Amino acid sequence: MKNRVIDHPVLDSIDEQKTISFTYDGKEYKGLPHESIAAALLANGIRTLRKHEESGTPRGIYCNIGHCFECRVTVNGQQGVRACLTRVSEGMNVASGEKLLTSVKDWRPEND
Amino acid sequence: MTDILIIGAGPAGLSAAITIAEHGLNVHVIDEYMDAGGRLLGQLYEEPNGNWWNGIKESNKLAEKASNLGVKISLNTSVNNIEKIDDKWVVYTDTNTYSTSHLLLATGAAEEPFPIPGWTLPGVMSVGAAQVMTNVQRVKPGERGVIIGVNVLSSAIAMELNLAKIDVATIALPKINQITEESGNPENVLNSLLHVAHMAPSAFVKFGSKLMKNDFMKKLGITFFPKGGVKMWGIPIQLRKAVIEIYGEERVEGVKMATISPTGEVIPGTEENISADFVCIAGGLYPLAELAAVAGCPFHLIEELGGYVPLHNNRMETTLDGLYVAGNITGIEGAKVAISQGVTAGLSIVHNSGKQKLDQEIAASIQAIEKTREEAYIQFHPDVKEGKKKLQQYWEAHKSSKQLVQS
Ligand SMILES: Cc1cc2nc3c(=O)[nH]c(=O)nc-3n(C[C@H](O)[C@H](O)[C@H](O)COP(=O)(O)OP(=O)(O)OC[C@H]3O[C@@H](n4cnc5c(N)ncnc54)[C@H](O)[C@@H]3O)c2cc1C
Ligand code: FES
């Protein structure tokens, strides 16, 4: 758990005994019950939460407080959930967003 | 039905809720985050008296006090629209629709980004994101970071990262462009930095830095941008170097920095790479006021308050009936000011709902805001009082124009 700040000179230390299991893109990971999906993934070394719908470039968290919508993932089948605002829970099934199969249509007239 | 609705469970919203509940009215607070406390949750610093301001403890205290008074707090609930229908404010969330005669917007602030090449790579985040990861989620944003943007918030958060033993390689300016014109100019930044110098003293002593407050200021002032940067909490602050690019294939691998002239121009041939696994962008804060905008509040751009603020008076009333604002939505300041503004907003709401005459209490609470402001430890904008004066003038102008129409 080297990615976690367990002991802190000012804040209380956190309990890392009670873990929960969740999956991300089909693989199982352990998280702590207090943390967000984004935090649990980062603690497991995962920074990429989705691929840009059109360009396919990788994206992770940006604001971590719900403002930027960069961290959206699919949780138990529900799309567009913000990973930074949602707590992980036992058995949760998280999937990253992928590049769309066909390009987003350009609606400009010359592209008809 | 709830008598009063509050959007935002940060220090402003919670303290308003407490005040209202103490006067016997029903209050419901809505917030989209997982925990109550807003941005207060992530705050951690040592006050001049040696006590630590621990945002998690302060948030829990406020939330507990509110709950004990019977305040209902709905977390994980995003508000996506508000509108006035007949004489009620209707609040649409992702789960429910609520209506109320008195609605308080305490939605806080958002962070401004600098769009720098490479800023969409995983590992690039706002400086506030790193704060929440480290202090609230207790996960390291990475092993070694670079902070782009030298200001009050980035200096405070650099120290917090340091406390959690996360290495900050450097704090540097962004390369100057239209957007970063202010924050990419060393002289502007130097001037604004003098306002954080007071935050240094006991932290310096504690973490063994040789630099004391006065030396820090002297270094900044007398030697005028030393080439190697100055150190704060052991972290080099670069005022003569700017980040021109964030590089990496699938994730951040580092940043490219270059030496800049005193006016911020990049000196060709001076580029160097600094490796890092995370990069924080610190563009500053602005009031998060979208909901006031959709409600139809008039806005004014007041730089001293951090951007566009909804027009309101010192009783925290907007120009729209039954709509109130408190906290960072009224201008960027620290949590203690937000708390005292929440009290005023709460009193105004109780007063206006006709239950009790509270003019004296309101006047006293307005004075309390000013006192808190004067004693504030963190000041995001040195001229905030000037900003508040401008706002007051806009309010007077608005009022007299309305009277003209009516007469
Ligand atoms: C990232 C960040 C870091 C900060 N760090 C510091 C710091 O270290 N020190 C300091 O003194 N000040 C800091 N501030 C300033 C800080 O905002 C104030 O100190 C204080 O927290 C403001 O209180 P508030 O109640 O006005 O707003 P906040 O504390 O920001 O609370 C606003 C609340 O409203 C909720 N909200 C917003 N919009 C919606 C919506 N549409 N639906 C539902 N809920 C919503 C948010 O989830 C949040 O909980 C920071 C601000 C930001 C944005
Ligand atoms: S990281 Fe910005 S919304 Fe989640």
Side-chain angles (χ1 to χ4, degrees):
Chain A
M1 295 251 182
K2 73 174 180 40
N3 292 337
R4 286 206 168 86
V5 184
I6 305 291
D7 295 308
H8 190 283
V10 186
L11 299 169
D12 296 334
S13 53
I14 51 170
D15 178 9
E16 43 171 341
Q17 303 308 318
K18 268 193 258 143
T19 58
I20 52 108
S21 303
F22 68 102
T23 63
Y24 180 61
D25 286 344
K27 251 185 92 183
E28 193 171 306
Y29 296 96
K30 295 251 177 279
L32 298 181
H34 72 267
E35 63 195 6
S36 66
I37 296 171
L41 287 172
L42 188 53
N44 283 289
I46 298 168
R47 283 197 184 282
T48 301
L49 299 173
R50 65 182 184 96
K51 298 269 165 50
H52 188 269
E53 286 80 354
E54 200 167 1
S55 66
T57 52
R59 296 295 155 95
I61 61 159
Y62 182 76
C63 72
N64 206 18
I65 50 170
H67 296 161
C68 73
F69 286 74
E70 279 293 287
C71 66
R72 49 193 194 270
V73 290
T74 301
V75 175
N76 298 336
Q78 192 190 339
Q79 290 185 338
V81 175
R82 284 171 283 177
C84 69
L85 291 188
T86 312
R87 238 187 268 283
V88 271
S89 60
E90 183 61 44
M92 189 181 252
N93 189 337
V94 185
S96 63
E98 292 299 321
K99 184 180 172 178
L100 297 174
L101 293 175
T102 48
S103 63
V104 178
K105 189 163 167 27
D106 185 340
W107 294 101
R108 278 173 299 190
E110 67 266 27
N111 212 38
D112 255 352
Chain B
M1 188 189 126
T2 332
D3 294 337
I4 289 139
L5 270 177
I6 296 177
I7 305 174
L14 287 178
S15 81
I18 290 168
T19 306
I20 294 164
E22 278 171 345
H23 285 82
L25 297 181
N26 280 325
V27 208
H28 184 181
V29 185
I30 302 170
D31 198 299
E32 64 181 358
Y33 201 62
M34 310 172 285
D35 301 296
R39 307 291 83 86
L40 173 56
L41 284 165
Q43 299 180 17
L44 189 64
Y45 55 79
E46 194 176 16
E47 293 180 305
N49 60 12
N51 291 338
W52 280 88
W53 175 253
N54 177 338
I56 294 186
K57 290 221 163 102
E58 298 299 328
S59 298
N60 290 346
K61 265 195 253 171
L62 285 170
E64 246 167 61
K65 191 166 177 195
S67 299
N68 290 340
L69 286 160
V71 174
K72 184 174 163 203
I73 303 177
S74 300
L75 299 171
N76 282 309
T77 310
S78 301
V79 175
N80 21 36
N81 193 16
I82 60 177
E83 66 178 327
K84 187 115 189 209
I85 297 180
D86 299 328
D87 57 345
K88 291 260 194 296
W89 286 102
V90 181
V91 174
Y92 301 92
T93 76
D94 45 9
T95 49
N96 268 311
T97 303
Y98 302 97
S99 86
T100 178
S101 310
H102 299 276
L103 176 64
L104 170 62
L105 303 179
T107 48
E111 287 187 79
E112 213 143 353
F114 301 134
I116 290 173
W119 75 304
T120 58
L121 281 169
V124 180
M125 62 191 84
S126 73
V127 75
Q131 179 182 50
V132 172
M133 253 323 159
T134 307
N135 296 346
V136 185
Q137 300 295 325
R138 301 291 289 273
V139 173
K140 294 184 182 181
E143 291 300 321
R144 180 178 147 96
V146 168
I147 299 179
I148 308 174
V150 184
N151 54 43
V152 177
L153 193 61
S154 71
S155 314
I157 294 175
M159 189 220 35
E160 294 167 17
L161 294 174
N162 220 337
L163 266 182
K165 302 206 172 53
I166 297 160
D167 187 17
V168 179
T170 187
I171 309 181
L173 300 177
K175 181 186 161 194
I176 208 158
N177 62 29
Q178 267 171 334
I179 293 168
T180 61
E181 216 170 324
E182 284 282 312
S183 36
N185 179 311
E187 197 170 335
N188 283 346
V189 174
L190 176 68
N191 287 334
S192 71
L193 249 195
L194 292 177
H195 295 278
V196 282
H198 74 284
M199 285 164 51
S202 53
F204 270 142
V205 177
K206 206 155 211 140
F207 302 112
S209 170
K210 302 268 178 307
L211 285 170
M212 292 298 288
K213 174 180 165 184
N214 289 333
D215 285 341
F216 175 67
M217 295 180 66
K218 265 185 239 152
K219 269 237 155 87
L220 283 174
I222 297 168
T223 49
F224 213 62
F225 325 134
K227 268 273 157 59
V230 291
K231 282 194 174 176
M232 179 153 67
W233 302 296
I235 304 165
I237 299 187
Q238 309 280 1
L239 292 177
R240 286 293 300 275
K241 285 183 181 165
V243 172
I244 52 177
E245 184 192 323
I246 301 166
Y247 64 86
E249 283 295 321
E250 286 292 303
R251 45 152 76 193
V252 169
E253 290 163 29
V255 300
K256 198 184 278 295
M257 287 219 300
T259 303
I260 50 172
S261 72
T263 50
E265 307 302 326
V266 170
I267 299 169
T270 58
E271 294 85 354
E272 56 179 321
N273 286 349
I274 295 190
S275 69
D277 64 348
F278 75 103
V279 170
C280 296
I281 295 184
L285 301 171
Y286 66 90
L288 187 65
E290 275 91 344
L291 291 174
V294 297
C297 277
F299 273 76
H300 288 280
L301 175 63
I302 304 180
E303 298 289 356
E304 295 90 339
L305 301 180
Y308 284 93
V309 290
L311 184 57
H312 62 276
N313 63 9
N314 56 12
R315 296 166 80 111
M316 301 293 146
E317 297 161 331
T318 68
T319 57
L320 305 177
D321 243 11
L323 193 72
Y324 307 79
V325 285
N328 273 196
I329 188 175
T330 71
I332 305 304
E333 300 183 77
K336 288 183 182 173
V337 174
I339 290 174
S340 40
Q341 289 179 324
V343 172
T344 305
L347 290 172
S348 290
I349 290 172
V350 177
H351 179 87
N352 294 348
S353 42
K355 296 268 184 326
Q356 285 166 57
K357 282 256 165 287
L358 292 172
D359 288 308
Q360 269 179 3
E361 284 84 346
I362 293 172
S365 77
I366 291 169
Q367 279 187 343
I369 299 176
E370 288 184 5
K371 185 153 178 280
T372 313
R373 180 169 291 137
E374 248 149 50
E375 292 167 359
Y377 169 74
I378 288 194
Q379 261 205 354
F380 290 89
H381 292 274
D383 298 325
V384 60
K385 281 176 110 177
E386 194 50 42
K388 292 290 172 188
K389 233 184 258 161
K390 284 188 189 168
L391 186 74
Q392 185 62 25
Q393 284 160 2
Y394 288 129
W395 179 266
E396 302 296 339
H398 174 86
K399 237 179 36 189
S400 45
S401 73
K402 249 177 90 178
Q403 273 158 2
L404 263 170
V405 173
Q406 276 163 2
S407 58

